[in-house]
Amino acid sequence: MANREALKELQSRLAGRLQAARNEGVSVAAWLAVQSGGRDYLLPLSQAGEIFPWMGVQPVPYTQPWFLGIANLRGTLSGVVDLALLLGHGEQRNEQALAEASLLALNPLLDVNAALLVDRLLGLRGSEAFVSVEPAAVESGSFLGAVHVDQAGRRWQELQLSRLAQAPQFLNIRA
């Protein structure tokens, strides 16, 4: 319960800060920074939805290992996808790791009732947080964008949720 209240408070603070920045003409963050399976990702804020604490999901038989099941997120049934497992670099989590994880719903405008399991929420990032940008690797999926490098040399892979929501790899949950 405490995690749920903390997430609500975080969302409320972020919304307030974004609105204040818009009112003052300050450049606004473009991405939500998350970590999944030990890798850092940037998710476009305009494509991200609400953030939820981990809650138990109802497993669905005969699905891909990365499809964890169905969760009721504020009255909407959503498929829950383990982002790291989907991208091929994660491993099954124990209950403690799941309890520390978050669910990030995709924006309802993407017309896919889905949420991504991520290990950590790392805040908001704007283009000013990065010193260089590298193009996506040729062999990467169509939903993976540029790699942004921050001042510390940390690499952040851009993940286009709108493209992910349409990718056959994402939509085909059948094992």
Side-chain angles (χ1 to χ4, degrees), residues 60-69 85-86 92 169-170 172-175:
V60 177
Y62 310 112
T63 58
Q64 297 286 343
W66 48 261
F67 188 79
L68 301 178
L85 286 176
L86 173 69
Q92 297 291 336
Q169 173 186 357
F170 180 78
N172 185 10
I173 63 170
R174 186 178 59 205

Side-chain angles (χ1 to χ4, degrees), residues 60-131:
V60 177
Y62 310 112
T63 58
Q64 297 286 343
W66 48 261
F67 188 79
L68 301 178
I70 303 292
N72 182 347
L73 304 177
R74 289 202 200 278
T76 300
L77 293 179
S78 297
V80 177
V81 173
D82 185 324
L83 180 61
L85 286 176
L86 173 69
L87 297 177
H89 61 80
E91 52 190 48
Q92 297 291 336
R93 292 169 175 79
N94 61 30
E95 284 301 317
Q96 181 178 351
L98 286 172
E100 295 170 0
S102 297
L103 298 176
L104 173 68
L106 274 60
N107 189 310
L109 295 174
L110 299 179
D111 285 331
V112 176
N113 289 347
L116 301 176
L117 176 77
V118 296
D119 297 329
R120 287 180 192 77
L121 301 169
L122 300 175
L124 301 176
R125 300 289 189 278
S127 57
E128 71 281 350
F130 305 101
V131 295

Side-chain angles (χ1 to χ4, degrees), residues 18 21-22 24-30 126-128:
L18 284 171
R22 283 188 189 110
E24 296 175 10
V26 175
S27 69
V28 177
S127 57
E128 71 281 350

